[in-house]
Amino acid sequence: MMKSIISLCLVLTTFISVGQVAHKRKLSMLGSPFEITAVANDTIKSNEYIDLAVAEVKRIENLISDWIPTTQISEINRNAGIKPVKVDAEVFELVERAIKISQITDGAFDISYASMDKIWKFDGSMKVMPTEEAIKKSVVKIGYRNIIINKKEQTIFLKLEGMKLGLGGIGQGYIADKVKDLLVSKGCISGIVNVSGDINAWGKQPDGKPWNVGIVNPLNKNKVFATFPLEDSAIETSGSYEKYVIFNGIRYSHIIDPRTGYPATGVVSVSVFAKQTEVADALATGIFVLGVEVGLDLVNQLKGIECIIVDDKGKIHSSKGIDIKKYN
């Protein structure tokens, strides 16, 4: 369920026009690259907005990160199989929404993926494919149906001892949305948040043009095959073009199907467009696991969602609402 994001390139620079400045700051947060661009009347105000964004990222990280022992998610994990844990409404509602996306994707996206035994290695050290028995055993503690939520008590309980929640497949998108909402509430009329490829944009650039994002084919990284305007919308790309192994002529992605324990095959990248980055984030992972045909069929049934899939032969597939030629 882990993801690698490289195939998006933001088509923007720091613009200055009469009365407006777009100021960008690059940081490393959440163990990943983080970029925030805020439009304001001067760089001082832009920096104030960016400082607010950074503080918001840290606040949420200290609520939902499973690698920080003091977070509520870590507390849930420690009490797996023992007792329910009462959490803030923000955490409860995020987990509740994640479970709904698990249902929509038939478990191809599952926040209990963190329970998986790490039997696959994508650093070049794995020379033999894991056994069928080891693969099957690696996912026995995964299953969103074993996440018990109590809305009245606002508690979350993991039924199986050793179960773990990991919000890596939805949390970065959620953070991008929360940063945007905060800055808009503080008067920032335009900006763009990029949390390791989870991108949310609002307003326009100071020159009046929309923010744009270019998508490259991972098998031909030197060429942007389409550039899309982002107007109060989000995009997320999940890719496996850097981390994979090949056994018996089959290319196995580092994005693993939490239902089977086998890595996803047949796809090298999925880009999802949505109003919320959180939704795009979670669906991109699920679609990657589902594959081209099932993934596109799912997206074509979801209102306000579009996607582009690049398969392992380099062929580009898109949902019904996207005409790739229009954006070349």
Side-chain angles (χ1 to χ4, degrees):
M1 294 287 286
M2 294 295 289
K3 58 186 182 169
S4 171
I5 320 287
I6 307 267
S7 69
L8 286 176
C9 57
L10 286 177
V11 186
L12 61 91
T13 54
T14 299
F15 292 97
I16 299 176
S17 66
V18 177
Q20 284 192 329
V21 175
H23 186 63
K24 179 167 70 172
R25 192 186 301 175
K26 293 183 179 181
L27 301 157
S28 179
M29 300 187 77
L30 309 166
S32 304
F34 175 83
E35 291 182 11
I36 173 78
T37 301
V39 175
N41 291 333
D42 53 57
T43 54
I44 294 173
K45 192 62 181 177
S46 291
N47 274 311
E48 287 179 7
Y49 288 138
I50 293 172
D51 288 342
L52 285 172
V54 171
E56 180 71 346
V57 174
K58 291 178 180 177
R59 182 191 71 80
I60 299 172
E61 184 179 25
N62 282 295
L63 270 181
I64 69 171
S65 294
D66 61 299
W67 60 86
I68 298 175
T70 53
T71 69
Q72 293 182 11
I73 294 297
S74 292
E75 182 72 5
I76 293 166
N77 292 345
R78 274 193 298 273
N79 284 282
I82 301 171
K83 65 177 182 179
V85 174
K86 188 173 179 62
V87 297
D88 292 354
E90 183 174 0
V91 175
F92 184 90
E93 290 164 7
L94 177 59
V95 171
E96 187 177 37
R97 293 193 300 272
I99 291 171
K100 287 179 181 175
I101 294 179
S102 296
Q103 293 167 343
I104 290 169
T105 61
D106 193 28
F109 167 84
D110 192 324
I111 57 170
S112 65
Y113 80 91
S115 317
M116 189 183 302
D117 294 335
K118 308 299 189 291
I119 61 171
W120 295 89
K121 309 292 182 185
F122 299 94
D123 57 4
S125 65
M126 189 170 67
K127 305 301 179 186
V128 179
M129 187 169 171
T131 65
E132 185 177 340
E133 183 182 355
I135 293 169
K136 189 175 180 180
K137 185 183 175 185
S138 73
V139 294
V140 293
K141 293 177 181 176
I142 297 176
Y144 69 90
R145 293 179 180 88
N146 289 320
I147 305 170
I148 309 304
I149 58 174
N150 184 318
K151 203 172 185 101
K152 184 179 178 182
E153 300 294 329
Q154 209 167 285
T155 60
I156 299 173
F157 176 54
L158 306 181
K159 283 176 67 175
L160 306 178
E161 186 179 345
M163 268 189 83
K164 292 180 181 178
L165 299 186
L167 296 177
I170 193 170
Q172 290 181 333
Y174 174 68
I175 287 171
D177 290 339
K178 292 293 285 184
V179 167
K180 172 199 166 181
D181 291 346
L182 175 64
L183 296 194
V184 169
S185 75
K186 297 297 183 181
C188 184
I189 59 169
S190 179
I192 189 161
V193 185
N194 180 1
V195 186
S196 188
D198 292 271
I199 298 170
N200 196 329
W202 70 101
K204 295 184 182 297
Q205 298 183 50
D207 61 1
K209 294 179 181 177
W211 303 106
N212 289 291
V213 62
I215 302 180
V216 302
N217 185 329
L219 303 182
N220 183 14
K221 293 182 182 179
N222 297 323
K223 184 182 178 183
V224 174
F225 69 78
T227 301
F228 294 87
L230 283 185
E231 301 185 60
D232 294 316
S233 60
I235 182 174
E236 200 278 344
T237 292
S238 287
S240 71
Y241 27 90
E242 292 189 322
K243 294 181 180 180
Y244 61 91
V245 291
I246 297 175
F247 290 116
N248 303 318
I250 299 173
R251 185 183 190 278
Y252 292 97
S253 151
H254 79 293
I255 298 176
I256 297 173
D257 187 337
R259 303 166 300 181
T260 66
Y262 281 87
T265 60
V267 173
V268 291
S269 80
V270 175
S271 298
V272 176
F273 296 84
K275 279 296 181 184
Q276 291 83 32
T277 327
E278 173 191 310
V279 173
D281 193 2
L283 282 178
T285 304
I287 293 164
F288 198 106
V289 169
L290 291 171
V292 176
E293 187 175 338
V294 178
L296 285 177
D297 184 57
L298 171 63
V299 170
N300 287 331
Q301 296 177 62
L302 299 175
K303 187 178 179 181
I305 309 292
E306 301 294 346
C307 82
I308 296 171
I309 303 174
V310 181
D311 67 25
D312 58 4
K313 303 293 190 295
K315 186 177 179 182
I316 298 164
H317 310 260
S318 60
S319 55
K320 289 179 179 177
I322 291 180
D323 179 1
I324 292 290
K325 294 177 182 177
K326 180 181 175 182
Y327 298 99
N328 285 346

